[in-house]
Amino acid sequence: MKIYTKTGDKGQTSLVGKRVDKDHLRVESYGTIDEVNTIVGYAMTYLDSEDTKDLYESLQKIQHELFDCGGDLAVVKEGIPFKTTEKMVEDLEKLIDEYMDATPPLEKFILPGGSKAAAIIHQARAVTRRAERNVVSLMKQETIHVPVFLYLNRLSDYFFALARVINTRLNIKDIEYERGAIVFRTDKK
Amino acid sequence: MKIYTKTGDKGQTSLVGKRVDKDHLRVESYGTIDEVNTIVGYAMTYLDSEDTKDLYESLQKIQHELFDCGGDLAVVKEGIPFKTTEKMVEDLEKLIDEYMDATPPLEKFILPGGSKAAAIIHQARAVTRRAERNVVSLMKQETIHVPVFLYLNRLSDYFFALARVINTRLNIKDIEYERGAIVFRTDKK
Amino acid sequence: MKIYTKTGDKGQTSLVGKRVDKDHLRVESYGTIDEVNTIVGYAMTYLDSEDTKDLYESLQKIQHELFDCGGDLAVVKEGIPFKTTEKMVEDLEKLIDEYMDATPPLEKFILPGGSKAAAIIHQARAVTRRAERNVVSLMKQETIHVPVFLYLNRLSDYFFALARVINTRLNIKDIEYERGAIVFRTDKK
Ligand code: B12
Ligand code: B12
Ligand code: B12
Ligand SMILES: C[C@H]1O[C@@H](n2cnc3c(N)ncnc32)[C@H](O)[C@@H]1O
Ligand SMILES: C[C@H]1O[C@@H](n2cnc3c(N)ncnc32)[C@H](O)[C@@H]1O
Ligand SMILES: C[C@H]1O[C@@H](n2cnc3c(N)ncnc32)[C@H](O)[C@@H]1O
Ligand SMILES: [Mg+2]
Ligand SMILES: [Mg+2]
Ligand SMILES: [Mg+2]
């Protein structure tokens, strides 16, 4: 089988339902989601031991869900059911709550890093936020399946909480940004 | 020698033949190619053993070729010969065919990851596609040396095939995206 | 405490002093600075031995300074003092000079890579340049605190010099780009 089909050698490509330029915001958006997915795959290679099994499995679920999100953004044809659900967003919220409860209270920004796994998860967090920004631009010009956007917004918070859990389990203390004020507040709305 | 020349401290920089703003699409394009190159350099550090020597050398060739691509995009002056060739694109195609033959048949999307080297190559793949998108935007407003664009398109397929070869050699099975249909087809044009 | 505040679930977010769309160039800029910061945090995990202690500490200082830069770009309210200073730029210049003196003379482009730490620092370099490009776009439409821009420009040169120091200390010779001319010159202005 040939994976290089040369159909994209003129600068255009296929969505599900339409041909568009390769720099179309839909393509940019699921391309960036793909990028996030590769970083998650990399982080997982540092979490394959027995005591991080739960985190590994959680990330594998997220890899599938990132494909759901990307696929949904690729669809412009009527009548194809979307895959990303509000339930997926709520599942993330539950995990965030669980991780926040398992980590020391937070007041100031922390320097991204500590362990290798946490550092890479922070990178996934930052790239997820880039994907979210692309989707926001896309939403201004086309209708999209809204849960995809909510999912990405929550996912970056999930990665933040996850990075902290990883370091906590490894007994590594996150270092606070020294010139920062108290930015995290319980009453923040 | 000073590498910081401060000539860019006003937001402009030099192409070969012209001064432009640093957010010019040419600069964006070769800047992203540079980013790809750094990820390739990182992946190579996981492929320096005897049994992956062929892959290592292949990637080093690609590092040189990425400089060819970047350099070609930097040139707007008449009379300077381009470096990127159709032959370079064909060489990639040969390697892709070879790698595809050495890996299990493919039907569904696979989760990027498995081994460290494969995960990082998947990241290079995704960033190469970002570079390709930049070049597509650039092509809409300026004439470029077309083989650069073809090279990038093929390179991302090369990285995909390479990631699979790496995992196959390490006896790691790629995991299929569970909610996906059969997307890879022999008859795909 | 909940870190997911859901305030951004409509595509808008808060600067210090104003609500804007999440794809606003300020958000793009400090979002990319955050991405740089995560890569620095990752590189540091490879530099935590005794003989690279100076480099580790230097990078931790830079992590704080990247927060200064990001914070400054987030502020549009009058009367809040900026954190990024010209002194921070000069400190980088001193370190660059020191590193350049500790590494072999440079004439041609080098392939990014060698050791893991150097490869990742090269990636930080390329992403810092992406952040710089965002800031240049931002500067065209809004007034920013100029030292942030100078800092980013110098920081990418710092990372280049640092990558070379790391490889030199590890006795790894950088490989020159083979089809390149002599591009680095003492008389370059
Ligand atoms: C979106 C997309 C992506 C996204 C994917 C994921 C995501 N969800 O985020 C991203 C950007 C990550 C991606 C990456 C790649 N992709 Co892609 N991708 C597509 C695209 C546009 C849509 C696939 C999709 O998700 N469809 C959504 C669902 C709803 O559609 P579906 O799966 O086809 O299922 C529907 C129908 O097919 C139908 N159906 C399903 N099964 C069957 C069976 C029968 C018998 C019938 C009648 C109907 C039917 O029912 C389904 C529901 O209605 C297709 C092109 C296209 N327009 O189909 C290429 C495509 C599948 N990709 C392709 C390639 C090459 C790749 C990459 C290797 C590129 C690269 N170098 O990186 C990677 C591989 C990534 C990986 N990890 O495996 C090629 C495959 C070529 C080939 N030889 O088959 C395609 C065909 C594009 C092309 N060049 O023509 N891709
Ligand atoms: C494109 C470019 C890049 C691309 C490079 C590669 C690529 N191919 O993708 C990227 C973005 C990756 C890059 C990165 C960097 N770059 Co750069 N880059 C350039 C640029 C714009 C062009 C270089 C090039 O490829 N030219 C293409 C070929 C065709 O030109 P050429 O090599 O000069 O060869 C022609 C002529 O020079 C002539 N020629 C060659 N040799 C000789 C000799 C003589 C005697 C004569 C008369 C003529 C001659 O003949 C050749 C063919 O016509 C130059 C600035 C400029 N306008 O020259 C800066 C430049 C070389 N870069 C510079 C720097 C600092 C860097 C970085 C360190 C920046 C950073 N912090 O990341 C990195 C280093 C990367 C690395 N791995 O080594 C500086 C060097 C400063 C110095 N002190 O010398 C320059 C001069 C820009 C500047 N600030 O003024 N760069
Ligand atoms: C800029 C910013 C970022 C930047 C930060 C850094 C940087 N400097 O580059 C980036 C993009 C990296 C970032 C990331 C994150 N952020 Co943020 N960020 C902000 C933002 C917009 C401004 C913070 C800031 O730097 N302010 C600049 C200085 C000047 O302001 P200040 O620190 O508040 O200090 C002034 C005042 O607060 C006052 N002050 C200080 N202390 C006190 C005390 C009292 C008693 C009083 C009266 C006044 C006072 O005096 C100071 C000077 O005037 C705030 C929202 C906002 N508008 O405040 C969110 C915010 C702090 N972030 C938030 C979150 C969730 C995050 C992330 C977890 C998101 C993610 N998933 O990635 C990460 C965490 C990163 C980390 N490593 O810790 C949330 C926190 C929610 C909560 N429950 O508290 C906030 C509140 C946004 C929101 N959703 O509402 N963030
Ligand atoms: C923590 C802070 O990060 C900013 N913010 C919110 N969403 C994004 C995003 N997708 N990318 C970058 N920054 C973002 C807002 O300013 C928020 O207050
Ligand atoms: C596999 C799918 O990826 C999309 N595609 C093609 N080229 C790019 C690119 N440079 N970046 C992101 N996505 C791309 C197309 O939709 C193709 O069908
Ligand atoms: C070394 C070369 O890199 C280019 N250059 C300068 N600043 C940036 C940036 N932020 N991103 C990408 N390329 C840049 C210029 O063309 C310079 O000459
Ligand atoms: Mg958010
Ligand atoms: Mg392609
Ligand atoms: Mg510069």
Side-chain angles (χ1 to χ4, degrees), chain A residues 9 21-23 34 42 68, chain B residues 42 132 137 154 177 179:
Chain A
D9 278 359
D21 292 347
K22 283 188 177 176
D23 61 350
D34 186 19
Y42 182 49
D68 294 339
Chain B
Y42 182 49
E132 187 196 19
S137 299
R154 220 61 90 244
Y177 165 47
R179 285 179 291 282

Side-chain angles (χ1 to χ4, degrees), chain A residues 129 132 153-154 156-157, chain C residues 8 22:
Chain A
R129 284 154 73 83
E132 187 196 21
N153 190 170
R154 221 62 87 245
S156 69
D157 289 334
Chain C
K22 282 188 177 177

Side-chain angles (χ1 to χ4, degrees), chain A residues 1-5 7 13-17 30-31 33-34 66-72 74-75 80-81 83, chain B residues 106 108-112 122 125 129 153 156-158 160 177 180-186 188-189:
Chain A
M1 198 197 52
K2 298 233 183 275
I3 48 159
Y4 57 98
T5 56
T7 48
T13 194
S14 299
L15 302 178
V16 181
Y30 59 70
I33 290 174
D34 186 19
L66 285 169
F67 269 98
D68 294 339
C69 289
D72 285 351
V75 172
I80 297 188
K83 292 170 181 154
Chain B
L106 188 70
K108 299 185 169 194
F109 285 127
I110 53 165
L111 304 184
H122 272 294
R125 175 182 63 76
R129 283 154 73 83
N153 190 170
S156 68
D157 290 334
Y158 169 86
F160 182 73
Y177 165 47
I182 292 176
V183 288
F184 293 100
R185 305 209 177 167
T186 327
K188 271 278 158 63
K189 279 161 311 227

Side-chain angles (χ1 to χ4, degrees), chain B residues 7-8 12-16 20 22-23 26-28 30-32 34 74, chain C residues 109 126 128-134 136 153 156:
Chain B
T7 48
Q12 286 220 322
T13 193
S14 299
L15 303 177
V16 181
V20 295
K22 282 188 177 177
D23 62 351
R26 282 193 186 270
V27 182
E28 188 69 43
Y30 60 69
T32 309
D34 186 19
Chain C
F109 286 127
T128 300
R129 284 155 72 83
R130 171 149 52 86
E132 186 197 20
R133 297 192 298 273
N134 291 331
V136 167
N153 191 172
S156 69

Side-chain angles (χ1 to χ4, degrees), chain B residues 156-175:
Chain B
S156 68
D157 290 334
Y158 169 86
F159 285 141
F160 182 73
L162 174 61
R164 297 187 70 237
V165 161
I166 293 169
N167 282 345
T168 303
R169 289 201 194 171
L170 293 169
N171 260 313
I172 295 173
K173 265 189 82 154
D174 284 316
I175 293 168

Side-chain angles (χ1 to χ4, degrees), chain B residues 78-92:
Chain B
E78 298 283 297
I80 298 189
F82 290 117
K83 290 171 181 153
T84 313
T85 64
E86 302 264 3
K87 162 93 169 50
M88 279 159 50
V89 181
E90 287 155 22
D91 283 358
L92 286 179

Side-chain angles (χ1 to χ4, degrees), chain B residues 1-3 5 7 14-16 30 34 66-67 70-71 74-75 80 83, chain C residues 109-110 125 129 156-157 160 181-185 188:
Chain B
M1 198 198 51
K2 297 235 183 273
I3 49 158
T5 57
T7 48
S14 299
L15 303 177
V16 181
Y30 60 69
D34 186 19
L66 285 169
F67 269 98
V75 171
I80 298 189
K83 290 171 181 153
Chain C
F109 286 127
I110 53 164
R125 174 182 64 75
R129 284 155 72 83
S156 69
D157 290 335
F160 181 74
I182 292 175
V183 287
F184 293 101
R185 305 210 178 165
K188 272 276 158 62

